[in-house]
Every structure is written in structure tokens, then in C-alpha cells.
Amino acid sequence: MSGYVVAVVGATGAVGKKMIQMLEDSTLPVSQIKLLASKRSEGRELTFKGKTVLVEELTSISFVNVDIALFSAGGSVSKEFAPKAVQAGCVVIDNTSHFRMDSNVPLVVPEVNENALFKHQGIIACPNCSTIQMMVALEPLRKVFGLTRIIVSTYQAVSGAGNRAIFETERELREILNDGVAANQVKAEILPTAGDKKHFPIAFNALPQIDVFAEDDYTYEEWKMINETKKIMDAAALKVAVTCVRIPVLSGHSESVYFEIEKENVTSQQIKDVLTSAPGVILEDDPKTQTYPQAINSVGCKEVFVGRIRRDLDEVKGFHMWVVADNLLKGAALNSVQIAESLHKLKLV
Ligand code: 25A
Ligand code: L14
């Protein structure tokens, strides 16, 4: 059978499992799938298009005869194995932050900057989940009205931090609701981020920390959104301010986005009109009927949902909106598979 041999690295993870599903849904011709994870998961059975596939341990020789590899097993795994995959002749689509700001690596949201793929040298990076959904909503507006400034606060689901963060959230909720443990007494081991020293409960809480702290007291997640936005939009002068917050939602990231445009005298109706026909966007905005995007409705959907659009009361070129998407789909697995579809369409594999 003709088609590509596709490998999923981190196949047992929260994102990896969705990558398998998105490949099943995809028009990409796949002749064979290889599911790779750590030794811990070797021999586990997953299914692809109704057939059982055994998980194999990721090793240096995993990529022989593989055409496309989707990576989502953490930055350190990508750092070590993505160059080996490229050496074996494979095109890598990497979902971790490791290569995103590398000038030789295109950072791609297909609806926004598909043409950046022409410059790839073997590795293509999939942006951060929170960046992707904001780009899908803002790029069509930037094209028509110009864009000078973004101020965004995120309300991020725990599934972005992987399976262990999902299990931790569910356990905390059970301990509080079933066993009567006080919310500030439950034990946390993963969130806000596995890589930091202290851990805090997420159940019934909101944590203004995603990933570790970096320069100028911004978290690394906030820096990722700032730097990736400028790279994807090719707009170094764009003003971007970000606050990233974790909330006790399992899947579906929400964002309160304030943005300023270049054009004068634009109405919120004109903003809505542009978003109505924007690729990958569904407008859900009718205050009269209490219609607005909600995280729970985004789960399993491939689109980015936008609503609550209104003009700022003081800044005439400023607008507010609420942007929601399934962080494991458009925020990660789906965007990675769409990159593979674009590479196939443009004959770049
Ligand atoms: O912040 P980062 O570095 O960018 O990380 C991003 C994501 O990568 C995963 C985790 O997602 C995180 O959200 N990750 C990061 N560090 C990890 C680590 N030390 C890690 N995962 C495991 N160990 P996830 O939990 O959804 O898992 C993503 C996938 O990555 C695979 N993986 C990890 N290290 C790998 C690797 N694959 C190949 N080589 C490596 N060296 C991982 O496969 C998963 O598919 P797995 O076999 O290691 O895990 C299978 C199941 O085990 C659970 N689990 C994870 N960590 C532990 C664990 N169980 C016990 N102890 C642990 N320390 C997972 O939930 C998974 O279901
Ligand atoms: O950089 O913890 O792609 O929610 C995505 C989700 C890093 C962390 C990335 C989370 C990440 C993250």
C-alpha cells in the first residue's frame, strides 16, 4: 500500500493518544504507524484504524524507513532524538518547546503561515497550545485591520501538563468531595509544574504559574506565548503581554484577549464579520441568548471558538474577545497532523 510510514513519539501520553486519533481522521495517506514511548510502556496495545499496534521503546534506530515523526514526549526527548530522526531521513514535527525559536525551524500554524514550511530543514515546530488558538483568532483580524498590541490572560486546562496532571486533579477533587479533605490540605506532586520545587493543589484553585519562572518574573509559558507570537506573525515590533493561569478544567483552554488594531473607526460588528469567514474559527457571540464559547463545549472539536467581542470603552482601537479551543487538539495533536497534511500537499516530505 502506498503512503507514509508515520511514527508517534510519546504515543501513550495525553497528546500522543490524540495524535493517533487525528491521524485516523486525516486525509494524510498512512501506510504504517509506529508507536514509540519509553521502556515503561513497551508492549502496551493501542489501536490505529481498528488494528492493534504494540508500543515500542524509543531508541536511536526507531526511525529507519520512517517518513514523518510526530514528537510529544517532552523537550529532552526531542532534543536527543529529533536530530537522529532527521539523520535517518525522516521529517520531524515537534510538539515540544525545544526547537521553536531556532531560526532554522519553521514554527507553523497552517491557517496562518503555511508558507514557512518551504524553508524547513527536517524539523518543523508546532507552537504552544495557548499561542496556536490566539493566532488562529488574531491573524485574520491582523490581515484586515492591522495589529499593534496584544494583552492576554489565559485560563488553561490541566491536560496540557500531561496524563499525570489529569490524574492529580481528579484525585484532589475526589479527596475533597468524597473524603472531606480541606482544599488547601490535599497533597500535590505535579502542578503547577513537575519541573519546579513546590507543588500546590489545583482543585478549587487558580494557579498563576505555568512552567517555571524565567527572566523578568515572567513564567516560561508566558515567554513562549510572547516570542512565538512574534515569530509566527513575523512581527518583532508587536507589543505582547501575557499572564498564564491554570484552572481546574481538564481540557479546553480559554483566553481573555485584548488587542489594539491600526485602522480607525472599526466596529465590533466588522470584527465579527471577519471572524465569521476566518479559517478554523467558529464565532459564538450573542449576549441576548447567552451564547459564548465554553471550555466544556470545545472538547473534541477541531475549531477555535471566539465570542464576547466588544470594543474597549476608553481605547477606540482596542477590542476584547474570549477565545477557546481544545488544547490537546488544535493546541497540539491536530495542529501537528495539519502540518503533516500541509507538507504532503506542498510536496515537502
Ligand atoms: O514539560 P515537557 O518536558 O515539555 O513535557 C511535556 C510532556 O511530556 C511528558 C508529559 O506528558 C509532559 O506533559 N513527559 C515529560 N517528562 C516526562 C517523563 N520524565 C514525561 N513523560 C514521562 N516521563 P505525558 O505524561 O502525557 O507523557 C507523554 C509521553 O511521553 C513519553 N515519554 C516520556 N519520556 C520518554 C517518552 N517516550 C520515549 N522516551 C522517553 N524517554 C511517555 O511515555 C508518554 O507517552 P511513557 O511510556 O514514559 O509513559 C507512559 C505512561 O506513564 C505515565 N507516566 C509519566 N511519567 C511517569 C509516569 N508513570 C510513572 N512515573 C512517571 N514518572 C504517563 O502518564 C503515561 O501515561
Ligand atoms: O510548550 O503545562 O507546548 O499546560 C504546553 C502545555 C508546555 C506546558 C508547550 C502545560 C507546553 C504546557
Short mmCIF file of all heavy atoms in Angstrom, two decimals, residues 11 13 16 22 28 55 65 73 85 97 108 169 189-190 209 225 234 236 263 270 279 297 314 325 331:
data_model
loop_
_atom_site.label_atom_id
_atom_site.label_comp_id
_atom_site.label_asym_id
_atom_site.label_seq_id
_atom_site.Cartn_x
_atom_site.Cartn_y
_atom_site.Cartn_z
N ALA A 11 3.57 8.17 22.35
CA ALA A 11 2.25 7.72 21.87
C ALA A 11 1.27 7.44 23.01
O ALA A 11 0.06 7.49 22.80
CB ALA A 11 2.41 6.47 21.01
N GLY A 13 1.04 9.19 25.77
CA GLY A 13 0.78 10.41 26.54
C GLY A 13 -0.55 11.05 26.19
O GLY A 13 -1.26 10.60 25.28
N GLY A 16 -0.04 12.37 22.67
CA GLY A 16 0.26 11.27 21.74
C GLY A 16 -0.97 10.48 21.35
O GLY A 16 -1.17 10.15 20.18
N MET A 22 -6.11 11.80 15.53
CA MET A 22 -6.13 12.82 14.46
C MET A 22 -5.57 12.24 13.17
O MET A 22 -6.00 12.61 12.08
CB MET A 22 -5.35 14.07 14.89
CG MET A 22 -6.00 14.86 16.02
SD MET A 22 -7.66 15.49 15.62
CE MET A 22 -8.68 14.36 16.57
N LEU A 28 -4.21 12.42 5.29
CA LEU A 28 -2.82 12.03 5.02
C LEU A 28 -2.76 10.53 4.74
O LEU A 28 -3.25 9.73 5.54
CB LEU A 28 -1.96 12.37 6.25
CG LEU A 28 -0.45 12.23 6.08
CD1 LEU A 28 0.10 13.42 5.31
CD2 LEU A 28 0.23 12.12 7.43
N VAL A 55 3.15 -0.79 21.37
CA VAL A 55 4.04 0.33 21.64
C VAL A 55 5.47 -0.21 21.73
O VAL A 55 5.72 -1.22 22.39
CB VAL A 55 3.64 1.04 22.95
CG1 VAL A 55 4.64 2.14 23.30
CG2 VAL A 55 2.22 1.59 22.85
N ASN A 65 13.48 3.97 7.91
CA ASN A 65 12.32 3.83 7.00
C ASN A 65 11.08 4.62 7.42
O ASN A 65 10.01 4.45 6.83
CB ASN A 65 11.91 2.36 6.81
CG ASN A 65 12.99 1.57 6.10
OD1 ASN A 65 13.71 2.12 5.25
ND2 ASN A 65 13.14 0.31 6.46
N ALA A 73 6.95 13.96 23.62
CA ALA A 73 7.37 13.25 24.83
C ALA A 73 8.25 14.14 25.70
O ALA A 73 9.03 13.64 26.51
CB ALA A 73 8.11 11.98 24.46
N ALA A 85 16.38 11.36 14.11
CA ALA A 85 15.31 11.04 13.15
C ALA A 85 15.58 11.73 11.81
O ALA A 85 15.43 11.12 10.75
CB ALA A 85 13.96 11.47 13.72
N SER A 97 8.64 22.54 23.18
CA SER A 97 9.17 23.90 23.01
C SER A 97 10.63 23.91 22.56
O SER A 97 11.19 24.96 22.26
CB SER A 97 9.02 24.69 24.31
OG SER A 97 9.75 24.06 25.33
N VAL A 108 4.85 26.66 12.91
CA VAL A 108 3.75 26.75 11.94
C VAL A 108 2.36 26.48 12.52
O VAL A 108 2.13 25.49 13.21
CB VAL A 108 4.02 25.79 10.75
CG1 VAL A 108 2.85 25.78 9.78
CG2 VAL A 108 5.31 26.20 10.03
N THR A 169 -5.39 16.03 39.35
CA THR A 169 -6.58 16.88 39.52
C THR A 169 -7.78 16.05 39.96
O THR A 169 -8.50 16.41 40.90
CB THR A 169 -6.91 17.60 38.19
OG1 THR A 169 -5.74 18.30 37.77
CG2 THR A 169 -8.06 18.58 38.37
N GLU A 189 1.71 16.85 43.76
CA GLU A 189 3.08 16.41 43.40
C GLU A 189 3.51 16.87 42.01
O GLU A 189 4.68 16.81 41.67
CB GLU A 189 3.14 14.88 43.45
CG GLU A 189 3.03 14.34 44.86
CD GLU A 189 2.82 12.83 44.89
OE1 GLU A 189 2.42 12.26 43.86
OE2 GLU A 189 3.04 12.24 45.96
N ILE A 190 2.57 17.32 41.19
CA ILE A 190 2.91 17.68 39.80
C ILE A 190 2.71 19.20 39.57
O ILE A 190 3.64 19.91 39.23
CB ILE A 190 2.01 16.93 38.79
CG1 ILE A 190 2.04 15.41 39.06
CG2 ILE A 190 2.42 17.28 37.36
CD1 ILE A 190 3.29 14.71 38.67
N GLN A 209 0.83 30.23 37.61
CA GLN A 209 2.14 29.74 37.18
C GLN A 209 1.96 28.55 36.27
O GLN A 209 1.42 27.52 36.67
CB GLN A 209 3.01 29.30 38.38
CG GLN A 209 4.37 28.79 37.91
CD GLN A 209 5.22 28.13 39.00
OE1 GLN A 209 4.86 28.12 40.17
NE2 GLN A 209 6.33 27.56 38.58
N MET A 225 4.57 32.30 24.76
CA MET A 225 3.49 32.98 24.01
C MET A 225 3.99 34.28 23.38
O MET A 225 3.62 34.61 22.25
CB MET A 225 2.29 33.26 24.92
CG MET A 225 1.45 32.04 25.22
SD MET A 225 -0.07 32.47 26.08
CE MET A 225 -1.08 33.11 24.74
N ASP A 234 5.67 37.13 12.25
CA ASP A 234 6.81 37.83 11.69
C ASP A 234 6.70 39.33 12.02
O ASP A 234 6.75 40.19 11.14
CB ASP A 234 6.88 37.60 10.17
CG ASP A 234 8.20 38.07 9.58
OD1 ASP A 234 9.16 38.25 10.36
OD2 ASP A 234 8.27 38.26 8.35
N ALA A 236 8.29 41.57 14.92
CA ALA A 236 9.12 41.79 16.10
C ALA A 236 8.65 42.98 16.93
O ALA A 236 8.84 43.01 18.15
CB ALA A 236 10.58 41.99 15.66
N LYS A 263 -6.20 50.31 12.14
CA LYS A 263 -7.27 51.06 11.47
C LYS A 263 -8.15 51.78 12.48
O LYS A 263 -8.39 51.28 13.58
CB LYS A 263 -8.15 50.11 10.65
CG LYS A 263 -7.65 49.86 9.27
CD LYS A 263 -8.82 49.69 8.29
CE LYS A 263 -8.28 49.45 6.90
NZ LYS A 263 -8.80 48.25 6.27
N GLN A 270 -17.74 44.73 12.52
CA GLN A 270 -16.75 44.43 11.47
C GLN A 270 -15.77 43.34 11.91
O GLN A 270 -15.36 42.50 11.12
CB GLN A 270 -15.98 45.70 11.09
CG GLN A 270 -16.80 46.68 10.26
CD GLN A 270 -16.06 47.99 10.05
OE1 GLN A 270 -15.95 48.80 10.98
NE2 GLN A 270 -15.52 48.19 8.86
N PRO A 279 -10.65 31.00 8.53
CA PRO A 279 -10.43 29.55 8.53
C PRO A 279 -10.19 29.02 9.95
O PRO A 279 -9.41 29.58 10.71
CB PRO A 279 -9.18 29.36 7.66
CG PRO A 279 -8.53 30.69 7.60
CD PRO A 279 -9.61 31.71 7.77
N ASN A 297 -17.55 22.77 25.94
CA ASN A 297 -18.10 22.50 24.61
C ASN A 297 -17.01 22.38 23.54
O ASN A 297 -17.26 21.91 22.43
CB ASN A 297 -19.07 23.61 24.20
CG ASN A 297 -20.28 23.67 25.11
OD1 ASN A 297 -20.67 22.65 25.68
ND2 ASN A 297 -20.85 24.84 25.28
N ASP A 314 -12.52 52.85 26.51
CA ASP A 314 -11.64 54.02 26.54
C ASP A 314 -10.71 54.12 25.34
O ASP A 314 -10.36 55.21 24.91
CB ASP A 314 -10.79 53.99 27.82
CG ASP A 314 -11.67 53.99 29.06
OD1 ASP A 314 -12.47 54.93 29.20
OD2 ASP A 314 -11.60 53.03 29.85
N ALA A 325 -10.33 26.79 22.81
CA ALA A 325 -10.09 25.64 21.92
C ALA A 325 -9.69 24.43 22.75
O ALA A 325 -9.26 24.57 23.90
CB ALA A 325 -8.98 25.96 20.91
N GLY A 331 -4.65 22.78 19.81
CA GLY A 331 -3.48 23.23 20.57
C GLY A 331 -2.26 22.33 20.45
O GLY A 331 -1.17 22.71 20.86
#
